[in-house]
Amino acid sequence: MSVTAAKGFTAAGVAAGIKESGTPDLALVVNQGPNLAAAGVFTSNRVKAAPVLWSEQVLKGGQVCAVVLNSGGANACTGPLGFQDTHATAEKAADALGHSAGEIAVASTGLIGLRLPMDKLLPGIDKAVAELSPHGGEKAAIAIKTTDTVHKTAVAARDGWTVGGMAKGAGMLAPGLATMLVVLTTDADVDAAGLDATLRAATRTTFDRVDSDGCMSTNDTVLLLASGASGITPPQQEFADAVHAVCDDLARQLIGDAEGASKDIRIEVVNAASEDDAVEVGRSIARNNLLKCAIHGEDPNWGRVLSAIGTTSAVFEPDQLNVAINGVWVCKSGSVGEDRDLVDMRFREVRVTADLAAGSHSAVIWSNDLTADYVRENSAYSS
Amino acid sequence: MSVTAAKGFTAAGVAAGIKESGTPDLALVVNQGPNLAAAGVFTSNRVKAAPVLWSEQVLKGGQVCAVVLNSGGANACTGPLGFQDTHATAEKAADALGHSAGEIAVASTGLIGLRLPMDKLLPGIDKAVAELSPHGGEKAAIAIKTTDTVHKTAVAARDGWTVGGMAKGAGMLAPGLATMLVVLTTDADVDAAGLDATLRAATRTTFDRVDSDGCMSTNDTVLLLASGASGITPPQQEFADAVHAVCDDLARQLIGDAEGASKDIRIEVVNAASEDDAVEVGRSIARNNLLKCAIHGEDPNWGRVLSAIGTTSAVFEPDQLNVAINGVWVCKSGSVGEDRDLVDMRFREVRVTADLAAGSHSAVIWSNDLTADYVRENSAYSS
């Protein structure tokens, strides 16, 4: 399953010794063809990790034969020597696979500001190449975990062709909690331009609308590789739907495993004047620490939703705002609505609906509560 | 001291029964003249509490004879009836003091979305009027506390004239944690236009650069009242310096008492291309939950500083950024700098210096760490 659900892909996940714990830390995904078409989207953080700078260049060619991914170190803010390390990683994989380094993408995740132990990483690539298998998808997904408690995979099987993928991270795309790495594969026969358009459309409404803690990573990477091994070129909309379904599934899994979270918060902004307004309001609500604490405490504190909406530039009138929590309209016309005691917040998923009464557009943003466990997990030295 | 340090002011703080705890919850500050000049700045949140909407109108006249302040309820998101409550509060104080309601400012703090108990608040005004005293400043400062652990006052005494003030809140001006209410008084003879210019300049670099948790209040209010009772019109710069000193002192006290905080973080951005760039970068660092957790854990995690800088639109080159924590340059030229083990973070104040290497402007933003205590305090039902 995972990245090897689609025909034409092999993968492996091994323990190279990058992590002191000795758990798996190096994954390799190889496109066996016949096509090598690929697309990628990367963090919009202006401080980009070396593997992001490298892979952005690789993807400009529209061809990727393999992806090397490591956990145990982000290789971000490591200067020119860190970039040389990424280059050496691609060269090593190229040698082992008999390909050009210019078609090998690299992705890293872990602590910022530390060089990778290349004496362990490079031999790990040989080990991974030796273990490449059309059943290696699960092992690859396990090897890219950092603070993830479970590995994340998803598959959309269609009539003769398939889209599969793996993800790590408790985070997001535009803003990233920890590093989010995603590799999607398909055996559909789609060219690089088609992959690029499909991937951008899918990520815009999935990974890009996950906002767990508002912190943008230096390493976020989402790649889509197409082998064409099915021999089928699906109708464009069917392919887009399948890629979207896998992205949506993985994005939901990321939120469900966010660091320290006890609640998954689905924020739906409706009746906005534009989609941009809906997204801006949704993000503002998602990033309001006071609301995130209230939801942790199962307190339907709609005043904090209104104060978050009030900081945005979206079109609305304060006295026309309505807010529902788990379906109870606790705020109507900007003031007290239905009885807040009617709100049942015992379950992990909490739904916040903000009605801007300003138009017909909407958007959904996913977030998490803010917990003492989040603080503990991120206060530990060098976590 | 406090708001009664300057000549021409009386004040009182009483328990009106708004808070169920029975602690003081109503403050009254009266300008006895001869002048009634006043200026105010208010939250920039578009969802504004009734007392903010009221007081903004009052201040347009440039005259304030009294300020009624209550804790125990924010009177925000309470609709037209909530606005009537504020109006009734001003009318009641006007009757009791023999003034016009149009010169009485009102400020409220507490939970959003609940009507105030007017049957308790209005009699409380009579009680406060009866207790008005030129020594009532401390009691007034105590009566406006909510989650504050201490009351906050400051005084700048100059040659024959004085500026004094009180503040409540663990928050900020542009963005507000809980409601921040500040009343400043002076016996200097300064007109409303002079007060307005002075107050805006002072708040811009004090309260407005406090960013404890990025959450903007619906109720933030800062008022400056001038009685002229000293008969002295100070040189403009001297007056500005005194107002700035009192604002700076109170702002520092707010940070020092922020909800759940164990560290006060002084973020200085230097060598920025513009002051706006410096402020944008400072705020981005101040709002980075991952960094705030790291500082709580006494971890000099400079990678999180760089990832926060990378989300801004400020002028900088990633490979020219330098970051110091408590004076140790742990990041140089965007990469590993001095040994992080040299950083001593045992003390409450932590200094983060971000050098953008892009110009000659700078700014200081004050923030706090993110702690399990903050989560607990803000997870409690209806806190």
Side-chain angles (χ1 to χ4, degrees):
Chain A
M1 303 298 281
S2 172
V3 288
T4 47
K7 288 185 284 287
F9 291 93
T10 56
V14 301
I18 304 167
K19 287 181 184 166
E20 286 187 7
S21 63
T23 51
D25 49 20
L26 187 78
L28 181 62
V29 180
V30 177
N31 185 349
Q32 308 285 357
N35 301 345
L36 298 181
V41 295
F42 301 92
T43 181
S44 57
N45 200 310
R46 292 169 60 201
V47 175
K48 295 181 202 298
V52 168
L53 295 171
W54 171 266
S55 297
E56 280 182 335
Q57 287 302 315
V58 169
L59 266 296
K60 282 186 180 164
Q63 300 242 91
V64 168
C65 70
V67 189
V68 182
L69 307 98
N70 74 274
S71 51
N75 197 8
C77 305
T78 45
L81 295 175
F83 190 81
Q84 286 179 25
D85 291 342
T86 293
H87 190 175
T89 300
E91 289 285 358
K92 172 71 184 177
D95 285 350
L97 295 167
H99 273 287
S100 153
E103 295 182 352
I104 295 186
V106 180
S108 300
T109 176
L111 187 65
I112 296 174
L114 284 183
R115 296 279 302 281
L116 289 169
M118 297 303 288
D119 58 326
K120 291 169 180 165
L121 195 153
L122 296 181
I125 290 174
D126 284 327
K127 195 171 165 186
V129 169
E131 296 197 10
L132 279 172
S133 154
H135 308 291
E138 296 294 319
K139 281 192 175 173
I142 290 167
I144 58 175
K145 285 169 57 185
T146 52
T147 58
D148 308 66
T149 64
V150 293
H151 65 285
K152 290 126 188 154
T153 66
V155 173
R158 298 291 183 263
D159 189 17
W161 57 278
T162 295
V163 178
M166 65 178 184
K168 69 80 43 182
M172 56 221 75
L173 185 64
L177 166 68
T179 311
M180 187 191 72
L181 303 183
V182 179
V183 179
L184 308 171
T185 56
T186 182
D187 46 20
D189 184 357
V190 182
D191 65 14
L195 296 176
D196 188 67
T198 303
L199 184 62
R200 285 181 194 284
T203 56
R204 195 178 71 84
T205 55
T206 55
F207 298 117
D208 200 22
R209 297 210 177 154
V210 167
D211 198 325
S212 179
D213 71 349
C215 297
M216 188 191 291
S217 164
T218 49
N219 288 56
D220 289 338
T221 299
V222 183
L223 301 174
L224 171 57
L225 317 184
S227 69
S230 70
I232 297 171
T233 300
Q236 192 181 330
Q237 191 58 49
E238 276 184 39
F239 184 63
D241 289 347
V243 172
H244 188 277
V246 171
C247 288
D248 203 42
D249 189 338
L250 291 173
R252 185 67 186 81
Q253 292 182 52
L254 292 176
I255 276 289
D257 193 31
E259 288 173 345
S262 71
K263 301 282 189 193
D264 304 335
I265 311 173
R266 182 184 190 274
I267 300 159
E268 182 167 21
V269 181
V270 300
N271 299 324
S274 68
E275 187 178 354
D276 283 351
D277 273 12
V279 171
E280 183 192 358
V281 168
R283 278 202 197 290
S284 178
I285 296 170
R287 293 180 181 185
N288 189 282
N289 278 353
L290 290 172
L291 176 67
K292 291 156 82 85
C293 287
I295 289 177
H296 178 53
E298 302 188 348
D299 171 10
N301 198 320
W302 59 267
R304 294 175 180 177
V305 178
L306 255 67
S307 72
I309 298 173
T311 65
T312 70
S313 62
V315 175
F316 70 85
E317 292 299 325
D319 62 359
Q320 292 179 24
L321 294 171
N322 307 298
V323 174
I325 299 179
N326 282 353
V328 180
W329 290 94
V330 284
C331 170
K332 288 184 176 175
S333 302
S335 184
V336 185
E338 294 171 17
D339 186 353
R340 52 194 280 156
D341 290 342
L342 297 174
V343 182
D344 182 352
M345 298 179 73
R346 288 172 299 169
F347 297 100
R348 184 173 174 105
E349 186 169 315
V350 173
R351 286 167 292 118
V352 175
T353 313
D355 172 5
L356 302 188
S360 59
H361 295 269
S362 65
V364 172
I365 299 282
W366 280 93
S367 189
N368 296 101
D369 57 343
L370 182 57
T371 70
D373 284 343
Y374 174 89
V375 174
R376 269 189 288 278
E377 192 158 347
N378 289 296
S379 299
Y381 188 80
S382 296
S383 71
Chain B
M1 304 298 281
S2 171
V3 288
T4 49
K7 288 185 284 286
F9 291 92
T10 56
V14 301
I18 305 167
K19 286 181 186 167
E20 288 186 6
S21 63
T23 51
D25 49 21
L26 188 78
L28 181 63
V29 180
V30 178
N31 185 350
Q32 307 286 358
N35 302 345
L36 298 181
V41 295
F42 301 92
T43 182
S44 56
N45 199 309
R46 291 168 60 201
V47 175
K48 296 181 203 297
V52 168
L53 295 171
W54 171 267
S55 297
E56 281 182 334
Q57 287 302 315
V58 169
L59 267 296
K60 283 185 181 166
Q63 301 242 92
V64 168
C65 71
V67 188
V68 183
L69 308 98
N70 74 274
S71 51
N75 197 8
C77 305
T78 46
L81 295 175
F83 190 80
Q84 286 178 26
D85 291 342
T86 293
H87 190 176
T89 300
E91 289 285 359
K92 172 72 184 175
D95 286 349
L97 294 167
H99 272 288
S100 154
E103 294 182 352
I104 294 186
V106 180
S108 301
T109 176
L111 187 64
I112 296 174
L114 284 183
R115 295 279 302 279
L116 289 170
M118 296 304 287
D119 58 326
K120 291 170 180 164
L121 195 154
L122 296 181
I125 291 175
D126 285 328
K127 195 172 166 187
V129 169
E131 295 196 11
L132 280 172
S133 154
H135 309 291
E138 295 295 318
K139 281 192 175 174
I142 290 166
I144 58 175
K145 284 169 57 184
T146 54
T147 57
D148 307 67
T149 64
V150 293
H151 65 287
K152 290 125 188 152
T153 66
V155 173
R158 296 291 184 263
D159 190 16
W161 57 279
T162 295
V163 177
M166 65 178 184
K168 70 80 44 184
M172 55 222 75
L173 185 65
L177 165 67
T179 311
M180 186 191 72
L181 304 182
V182 179
V183 179
L184 308 172
T185 58
T186 182
D187 46 21
D189 185 357
V190 181
D191 65 15
L195 295 177
D196 188 68
T198 302
L199 185 61
R200 286 181 193 283
T203 56
R204 195 179 71 84
T205 55
T206 56
F207 298 117
D208 201 22
R209 298 211 176 154
V210 167
D211 199 325
S212 179
D213 72 350
C215 298
M216 188 192 290
S217 164
T218 49
N219 288 55
D220 290 336
T221 299
V222 183
L223 301 173
L224 171 57
L225 317 182
S227 69
S230 70
I232 297 172
T233 300
Q236 192 182 330
Q237 190 58 49
E238 276 183 38
F239 184 63
D241 288 348
V243 172
H244 187 276
V246 171
C247 289
D248 203 44
D249 190 337
L250 290 173
R252 185 67 185 82
Q253 290 182 54
L254 292 176
I255 276 289
D257 193 31
E259 288 173 343
S262 71
K263 301 282 188 190
D264 304 335
I265 310 173
R266 182 184 191 274
I267 300 159
E268 182 167 20
V269 181
V270 300
N271 299 324
S274 68
E275 188 179 352
D276 283 351
D277 272 12
V279 171
E280 183 192 0
V281 168
R283 279 202 195 290
S284 179
I285 295 170
R287 294 180 179 184
N288 189 281
N289 279 352
L290 290 172
L291 177 66
K292 290 156 84 86
C293 287
I295 289 177
H296 177 53
E298 302 188 347
D299 171 11
N301 198 320
W302 60 266
R304 294 176 179 177
V305 178
L306 255 67
S307 71
I309 298 173
T311 66
T312 70
S313 62
V315 175
F316 70 84
E317 291 299 325
D319 62 359
Q320 292 178 24
L321 295 171
N322 306 298
V323 174
I325 298 179
N326 282 352
V328 180
W329 290 94
V330 284
C331 170
K332 288 183 176 177
S333 302
S335 184
V336 185
E338 293 171 17
D339 185 354
R340 53 194 281 156
D341 290 341
L342 297 174
V343 182
D344 182 353
M345 298 179 74
R346 288 171 300 167
F347 297 102
R348 184 172 174 105
E349 186 169 316
V350 173
R351 287 169 291 117
V352 175
T353 313
D355 173 4
L356 302 188
S360 58
H361 295 270
S362 65
V364 172
I365 299 282
W366 279 92
S367 190
N368 295 102
D369 57 343
L370 182 56
T371 70
D373 284 344
Y374 173 90
V375 174
R376 269 189 288 277
E377 191 159 347
N378 290 297
S379 298
Y381 188 79
S382 295
S383 70

